[in-house]
Amino acid sequence: MMERVPNEYGRFGDFGGKFVPETLMLPLEEIEAELDKALADESFKQEYIRILQHYSGRPTPLTFAPNLTRQVGGAKMYLKREDLNHTGAHKINNAIGQALLAKRMGKKKLIAETGAGQHGVAAATVAAHFGMDCIVFMGEEDIKRQELNVFRMKLLGAEVVPVSSGNRTLKDATNEAIRYWVAHCDDHFYMIGSVVGPHPYPKMVREFQRVIGDEAKEQFLAREGKLPDVIVACVGGGSNAIGMFYPFLQDDVRLVGVEAAGKGIDTPHHAATITKGTKGVIHGAMTYLLQDEYGQILEPYSISAGLDYPGVGPEHAYLASIGRVRYESATDDEAVAAFQLLAQTEGIIPAIESAHAVAKAVELAREMPPDETVLICLSGRGDKDVQTMMRHLGAREGEDIATVR
Amino acid sequence: MKTLPLSVNPPLFIPFIVAGDPAPDVTIDLALALEEAGADILELGVPYSDPLADGPTIQRAAARALDGGMTLPKAIQLIGAMRKKGVNIPIILFTYYNPVLQLGEESFFALAQENGADGVLIPDLPFEESGPFRELGERFGLPLISLVAPTSKQRIERIASAAQGFLYCVSSLGVTGVREALPETLGDFLREVKRHSRVPVAVGFGISAPGQVAMLKEVCDGVVVGSALVQKVEQLAPRLQAPDEREAAVAEFAAYARSLAAPLREAYSSR
Ligand SMILES: Cc1ncc(COP(=O)(O)O)c(C=O)c1O
C-alpha cells in the first residue's frame, strides 16, 4: 500500500513542497484551504461535473482501435478520447476546475502560462465563459511557432504577453507568470497548466484531471469486464498522465509515462526529464529537471511544444522513484510516424504530444498477446500540429506524404 | 538558537551587486568601492538562469555574469578574493536554492565559511522549507537571513522570532526592480515587523532614491539597494571593462552609492 500523497507539507516522498518567494506563501495557503473546502463540498463537485458535461462534452468516449490493433498485431488497443473535449485537449478539465475555485475565492482575473498555447486557449476559454479577465504569458519563440493559438486566445478576449527573457519558451513564460503573480497576488488567481509548481498546485491539477482515469476505468470495465493490462500516457508536466494514472495506482495495471526524446536522449536535444534529469528545484517544486552541474536550468527540446518543459510534476518524480510508474521516451521521428499511423488507420489525428504515447503503446502492444489490452490516453487532437507536420514531412526530401506508411 | 555573529550597527546600508557582472575582477573593485562608500553589509548575488524573484534589471545582470562563466563555487571563491583585497564588511551570499542543492548543502556551507562569507539569503527557500538548512548553517556559523513580505501577515511573528543577522522586509508586492513609489502602508508594515524582531530590520525591493532612504530611516534599521546599483553597473559596464577608464567608472559608482547611503548618516548625526 502506498502512502497518501501529498502530505501536509505538499510532499510526495522527497518531492514537491513550496520553494517560492515569501510573498507567495500566504496566497498558496489561501488556495490550499479553499481547495480542501471545495473538494469536500458536494455542490462544488456537482457544478464542476455539470460544466464538464454541458460545456466540454464529457464524458469523452473510450474508443476501440480495431485497425490499429490489426496492423500492430498484438494486444487490443483502446483510446481515451480527450481530443474530443471542447478546445481539443484535456487542458480544459483543469481550467474549468481552477476557474470555479477562483470564482469561489472572489478572484476575477486569471493568470496563465502557455507553451503550445493549449493551456492558454483553455484558460482564455474559461475566462470568457465565467466572465473573467485573462492574461497569458507566452515565450516569443513559441508565439512564432504557434501563431494560430495566439490568435485564438486573442479572439477569446485574452491578453497575450510575449516573454523575451531566457530562451523565450515555456520555462520562461512560467517564470514570468509567477513574477506577475507575485506583483498581483492580491486580486489575481494563477491558473497553472499542469501538475507542476508549488503545493497545492500539483495536487489541485491532479484532482481536476483525475476525471480522465475515473471515467476510463468505468468505461473499460463496462466494455472488457476487466482492467487494462497497460496504460500509456505522454508526460510534459504530467497532467494528462496523472489524471489517467491516479485512479489506477492501487490496481494491478502497468503504467507507462512517455517523455519526449526529441532528437534522441543521447543528444542534448530532448525533454526527457525523468529519464535524463537530476533532482532539484524548478518553479517552486522539488522534482527532476534538466540542469547543468551548477544547477542552471537547461533548455529542453521536442518537436511538440507541449512536452518541451525542463521539469516534471513532483508526483511523477515520486512515482518513478518508488517504481510504480515506468517512464520511457519517444523521439520526434517515432512520434511523427505514430501520428501518421493513427491518422491513417483510425481516421483520428492526434496531438503531436499524444502521438508520443501512441508510439510507445504500439511498441508495447506488438509484444503482447491478443487477449491483453493497452489503453492510450489520447490527450488532444492534432489540428494545431498540422503545420508542424507539413514542415517536418516536407523537409524529408522527395518523400510522398500520402505513402509514408 | 544563536542570533548571529554579524557585528553591525544600524542604520545599515546594504548594497547588492551580482558576482561576475560585468566581470569577476570588476566585482571585487565594486565591493571595495562600496565598503569605502559606507556599506555596512554587502549582498553578493549569485547569477541564476531562472531568477523567479527578480525583475529585468537583475535578470540581465545574471545573464551577463553567466555568459562570463560565473557559477556558485566561483562566486563563493570571489568572496575569498575580496577578503584578500581588503573587503572587511560582512558579506551575505544571495543565491537561489537549486545551485546550492547541486553543490550540496554541506559543501556549500563549508566553502562559504572557508572563503569568509558571513551569511546566506535564499529567496526561494521560505520559512517552512528552511529548517534543516538553517540548522546546518548554524553549525558553520553562517546565518540564514529570513524575509518577510507585505503578505506575510500572521506569519510575521513566527518568521521574525527565528530571524538571524537581520530581517529582510520586502517593501511591496512584486519582484526586484526600481519603483517610483513605495506603498503607503509600508511604514505600518515595518513597525509591525520591528515589534516582533530581535534583530535589525532592513527594507529592500525598489529602493532607488535618497528621498526614499530618508523616509525609511525613520521606520526601520536599514535599507537594501539592489536594482538601482545594478542598473548603474550596467550603464558603466563598458567603462568598467576598459583598463584606462575603470578607475573613473568605479569612482562614479562609489559616488552614486554614497549618495544613496547619505540620508542614513544624516539620520544618526542629527539625532
Ligand atoms: C494535447 C496535449 N497533451 C499533453 C500535453 C502535455 O502536458 P501534460 O503533461 O501536463 O499533460 C499538452 C500540453 O500542452 C497538450 O497540449
Side-chain angles (χ1 to χ4, degrees):
Chain A
M1 183 68 197
M2 291 171 26
E3 66 178 295
R4 211 182 149 73
V5 290
N7 68 13
E8 61 181 305
Y9 303 106
R11 291 292 186 137
F12 302 86
D14 286 348
F15 303 96
K18 295 181 194 173
F19 297 89
V20 294
E22 168 63 22
T23 304
L24 293 180
M25 291 302 279
L26 187 73
L28 287 173
E29 279 172 25
E30 287 170 355
I31 294 171
E32 191 179 345
E34 200 60 42
L35 174 68
D36 287 345
K37 271 192 251 165
L39 292 177
D41 177 351
E42 251 336 287
S43 68
F44 179 88
K45 278 193 271 183
Q46 275 167 14
E47 193 177 4
Y48 169 65
I49 293 294
R50 186 185 62 77
I51 296 170
L52 288 180
Q53 287 176 350
H54 297 279
Y55 186 65
S56 190
R58 298 203 77 92
T60 59
L62 176 77
T63 303
F64 175 53
N67 304 328
L68 181 65
T69 299
R70 206 172 309 122
Q71 172 128 354
V72 171
K76 285 168 85 174
M77 304 182 78
Y78 282 89
L79 308 167
K80 176 62 176 164
R81 301 291 305 280
E82 292 304 299
D83 59 315
L84 294 178
N85 270 302
H86 182 42
T87 73
H90 67 294
K91 298 281 176 185
I92 194 84
N93 303 332
N94 169 50
I96 290 170
Q98 288 200 52
L100 276 174
L101 194 72
K103 186 175 139 195
R104 214 180 140 99
M105 295 176 76
K107 307 237 162 154
K108 295 209 171 77
K109 295 174 179 171
L110 303 177
I111 306 167
E113 81 294 335
T114 199
Q118 287 306 105
H119 174 58
V121 166
T125 298
V126 297
H129 180 76
F130 287 97
M132 295 173 172
D133 289 342
C134 183
I135 177 166
V136 182
F137 291 86
M138 188 167 184
E140 281 178 349
E141 231 6 83
D142 289 335
I143 286 181
K144 267 192 258 159
R145 289 197 282 189
Q146 302 286 338
E147 257 177 315
L148 272 177
N149 269 346
V150 176
F151 193 62
R152 269 170 98 192
M153 288 184 265
K154 289 181 179 168
L155 280 175
L156 290 160
E159 181 189 348
V160 180
V161 181
V163 173
S164 60
S165 60
N167 292 293
R168 302 153 200 236
T169 58
L170 177 57
K171 160 178 92 73
D172 311 291
T174 307
N175 287 340
E176 218 48 50
I178 295 175
R179 290 184 185 118
Y180 187 85
W181 187 35
V182 174
H184 300 89
C185 57
D186 48 345
D187 63 344
H188 282 62
F189 185 94
Y190 179 28
M191 177 182 277
I192 214 164
S194 190
V195 282
V196 300
H199 179 66
Y201 279 100
K203 170 181 162 182
M204 169 157 64
V205 177
R206 176 189 80 195
E207 292 303 315
F208 292 142
Q209 288 292 3
R210 64 171 293 173
V211 63
I212 303 172
D214 285 332
E215 281 177 12
K217 195 170 189 173
E218 206 181 297
Q219 292 167 324
F220 206 93
L221 280 172
R223 174 89 194 224
E224 282 278 328
K226 58 172 189 172
L227 294 178
D229 294 286
V230 178
I231 303 180
V232 187
C234 68
V235 178
S239 66
N240 86 89
I242 278 288
M244 176 56 111
F245 294 164
Y246 189 66
F248 292 93
L249 284 179
Q250 313 297 336
D251 299 316
D252 184 19
V253 175
R254 274 162 65 199
L255 304 173
V256 180
V258 186
E259 301 187 307
K263 295 181 174 159
I265 54 171
D266 297 322
T267 74
H269 309 293
H270 63 77
T273 312
I274 294 180
T275 311
K276 298 290 281 189
T278 49
K279 199 173 153 186
V281 167
I282 181 170
H283 295 140
M286 181 81 70
T287 184
Y288 290 117
L289 60 141
L290 301 176
Q291 57 183 329
D292 71 13
E293 61 174 310
Y294 298 109
Q296 309 291 345
I297 297 172
L298 297 174
E299 190 60 21
Y301 163 81
S302 166
I303 188 175
S304 125
L307 303 182
D308 200 353
Y309 182 68
V312 67
E315 189 161 9
H316 285 290
Y318 169 68
L319 292 170
S321 73
I322 62 168
R324 176 62 189 95
V325 178
R326 211 168 80 218
Y327 293 86
E328 306 207 0
S329 61
T331 62
D332 284 1
D333 287 345
E334 288 165 342
V336 167
F339 184 106
Q340 293 173 284
L341 179 65
L342 190 66
Q344 293 172 14
T345 52
E346 298 295 342
I348 295 172
I349 295 183
I352 188 68
E353 290 80 11
S354 323
H356 287 69
V358 176
K360 189 52 65 178
V362 165
E363 197 184 303
L364 293 170
R366 191 172 283 135
E367 304 302 319
M368 293 164 63
D371 60 337
E372 290 193 347
T373 51
V374 173
L375 170 59
I376 302 169
C377 186
L378 203 74
S379 56
R381 61 175 174 252
D383 309 36
K384 70 182 176 57
D385 300 310
V386 168
Q387 267 181 334
T388 304
M389 291 298 287
M390 274 168 68
R391 249 176 278 139
H392 191 88
L393 295 175
R396 293 190 200 159
E397 227 176 312
E399 206 162 357
D400 178 355
I401 293 173
T403 60
V404 164
R405 172 173 146 198
Chain B
M1 185 191 319
K2 60 183 185 181
T3 48
L4 114 156
L6 276 190
S7 53
V8 286
N9 294 312
L12 305 173
F13 176 55
I14 310 174
F16 168 96
I17 53 176
V18 174
D21 171 33
D25 56 326
V26 177
T27 306
I28 299 177
D29 285 359
L30 297 179
L32 282 164
L34 287 168
E35 175 158 355
E36 223 178 276
D40 296 284
I41 299 172
L42 175 65
E43 248 187 56
L44 185 65
V46 178
Y48 187 49
S49 57
D50 294 79
L52 268 187
D54 286 304
T57 302
I58 294 177
Q59 286 173 38
R60 283 196 305 272
R64 284 193 295 271
L66 288 173
D67 284 345
M70 186 49 63
T71 62
L72 175 58
K74 283 188 192 167
I76 300 174
Q77 282 153 0
L78 197 57
I79 298 180
M82 288 176 181
R83 294 301 184 212
K84 287 207 188 89
K85 294 270 171 111
V87 178
N88 291 315
I89 52 172
I91 302 179
I92 305 289
L93 268 168
F94 176 110
T95 174
Y96 286 85
Y97 192 38
N98 195 48
V100 175
L101 281 171
Q102 304 318 311
L103 181 55
E105 297 184 348
E106 290 239 24
S107 311
F108 167 77
F109 279 121
L111 193 64
Q113 187 190 47
E114 190 185 309
N115 281 277
D118 296 275
V120 192
L121 195 161
I122 303 189
D124 57 348
L125 190 66
F127 186 73
E128 283 78 351
E129 300 284 359
S130 69
F133 186 78
R134 181 184 301 269
E135 281 165 31
L136 189 62
E138 276 171 26
R139 283 213 268 124
F140 287 87
L142 292 173
L144 178 66
I145 307 298
S146 301
L147 293 108
V148 288
T151 49
S152 296
K153 307 262 161 73
Q154 57 274 37
R155 300 167 50 81
I156 292 175
E157 194 173 341
R158 217 181 324 153
I159 297 170
S161 60
Q164 303 170 312
F166 67 91
L167 186 55
Y168 191 136
C169 288
V170 176
S171 69
S172 37
L173 298 183
V175 293
T176 58
V178 301
R179 290 167 172 61
E180 301 257 304
L182 295 170
E184 279 169 24
T185 49
L186 180 56
D188 293 338
F189 168 50
L190 292 172
R191 271 184 287 269
E192 161 82 1
V193 175
K194 268 193 75 70
R195 267 205 300 128
H196 295 291
S197 182
R198 306 167 306 152
V199 293
V201 171
V203 61
F205 277 45
I207 296 164
S208 57
Q212 292 171 327
V213 177
M215 189 191 82
L216 291 166
K217 80 195 172 194
E218 306 297 337
V219 279
C220 67
D221 307 311
V223 294
V224 182
V225 180
S227 295
L229 289 169
V230 172
Q231 223 164 46
K232 196 76 188 170
V233 173
E234 184 167 55
Q235 272 168 22
L236 294 170
R239 291 173 58 207
L240 286 166
Q241 288 174 286
D244 51 338
E245 290 187 65
R246 183 190 291 192
E247 206 178 308
V250 170
E252 193 175 326
F253 176 76
Y256 180 63
R258 204 172 286 117
S259 73
L260 287 163
L264 293 176
R265 307 307 164 217
E266 284 154 26
Y268 271 54
S269 53
S270 67
R271 255 182 207 176

